[in-house]
Amino acid sequence: EVMMTQSPGTLSVSPGESATLSCRASQSVSRNLAWYQQKPGQAPRLLIYDASTRATGIPARFSGSGSGTYYTLTISSLQSEDSAVYYCQQHNDWPLTFGGGTKVEIK
Amino acid sequence: QVHLVESGGGVVQPGRSLRLSCAASGFTFSAYGMHWVRQAPGKGLEWVAVMWYDETVEKYADSVKGRFTISRDNSRNTLYLQMNSLRAEDTGVYYCARRGQTNSWLDYWGQGTLVTVSS
């Protein structure tokens, strides 16, 4: 099973600043990596798949990068509505696995 | 637009069974694989199972293998999860989600249904 480790656990950022979230896999996932945003009481929403492809309707200030075992999600010009928990997920091997999440707080 | 609605959750005693349903609309259900993902209270996401669009492939998390069965009825645009021998650790919100077009990212999610396993 591919273990996914996200860091930091919590990130506190001021509006307008950028946030970079990290996700590390226990083995290469060959850019088969997705990112999701989950707000309290809501279902997750797909942001990024294949490491860097934005899903339909996702603003350009969300960007993904990485390869092999290390991936990042960058949120530029943070807005209050970006306050949420963000999860990475590998879709390279079975079982699918998620990271533990990074909570982004807006100062 | 894509719409997924789960139902069938509730409170059930340990060892009993429950069947969840996921009604799909707004897309060609028979052309997409479908997943179940769960989330224990206050915890992260855990993938549970997937079934290919044509039912040729089904896979499960080790934690549910042998107890849960995923199925679908393409004529009814509905996905199911039969959960047997339920345990307290199966408690959580269960989401159905659509598989991405070419790989297993999850591009649309339902709102979830809560399953509570308790005596």
Side-chain angles (χ1 to χ4, degrees):
Chain A
E1 174 173 319
V2 181
M3 303 296 293
M4 308 299 292
T5 303
Q6 291 187 242
S7 60
T10 303
L11 196 54
S12 186
V13 187
S14 298
E17 293 185 341
S18 293
T20 299
L21 289 63
S22 298
C23 177
R24 191 177 297 274
S26 59
Q27 63 193 65
S28 174
V29 296
S30 303
R31 290 181 58 81
N32 292 311
L33 192 286
W35 291 94
Y36 302 87
Q37 176 193 66
Q38 187 178 33
K39 297 181 180 181
Q42 296 185 17
R45 176 175 71 145
L46 177 67
L47 298 174
I48 301 284
Y49 63 93
D50 287 348
S52 60
T53 303
R54 272 188 301 277
T56 303
I58 301 303
R61 55 198 183 80
F62 290 90
S63 62
S65 65
S67 63
T69 63
Y70 186 69
Y71 299 85
T72 60
L73 173 71
T74 299
I75 313 170
S76 59
S77 302
L78 264 157
Q79 301 178 7
S80 58
E81 68 217 44
D82 299 330
S83 179
V85 178
Y86 293 81
Y87 294 95
C88 63
Q89 174 237 329
Q90 63 83 17
H91 50 87
N92 188 64
D93 199 7
W94 302 101
L96 304 183
T97 47
F98 291 87
T102 291
K103 184 176 183 178
V104 173
E105 298 176 339
I106 310 299
K107 289 180 183 176
Chain B
Q1 68 280 22
V2 175
H3 201 45
L4 300 169
V5 179
E6 301 92 338
S7 60
V11 180
V12 61
Q13 292 179 327
R16 303 299 289 266
S17 299
L18 207 59
R19 189 177 84 154
L20 306 182
S21 299
C22 169
S25 60
F27 67 103
T28 304
F29 180 72
S30 59
Y32 285 85
M34 295 293 297
H35 296 266
W36 287 100
V37 175
R38 67 185 181 184
Q39 187 169 35
K43 302 298 185 182
L45 302 169
E46 180 188 16
W47 174 78
V48 173
V50 65
M51 175 166 274
W52 252 227
Y53 70 99
D54 58 0
E55 304 180 60
T56 56
V57 175
E58 58 185 271
K59 295 184 181 291
Y60 298 91
D62 285 347
S63 58
V64 307
K65 200 172 295 183
R67 299 187 300 123
F68 289 12
T69 303
I70 189 172
S71 63
R72 62 192 296 159
D73 185 340
N74 285 344
S75 68
R76 297 178 181 268
N77 291 341
T78 303
L79 178 75
Y80 302 100
L81 185 68
Q82 177 67 42
M83 304 186 295
N84 298 333
S85 303
L86 282 161
R87 306 167 180 167
E89 54 265 35
D90 295 319
T91 293
V93 175
Y94 284 71
Y95 298 100
C96 66
R98 193 179 79 169
R99 183 179 185 264
Q101 280 192 316
T102 58
N103 206 329
S104 281
W105 59 84
L106 293 83
D107 61 359
Y108 289 94
W109 298 61
Q111 85 291 345
T113 187
L114 176 62
V115 173
T116 303
V117 183
S118 174
S119 54

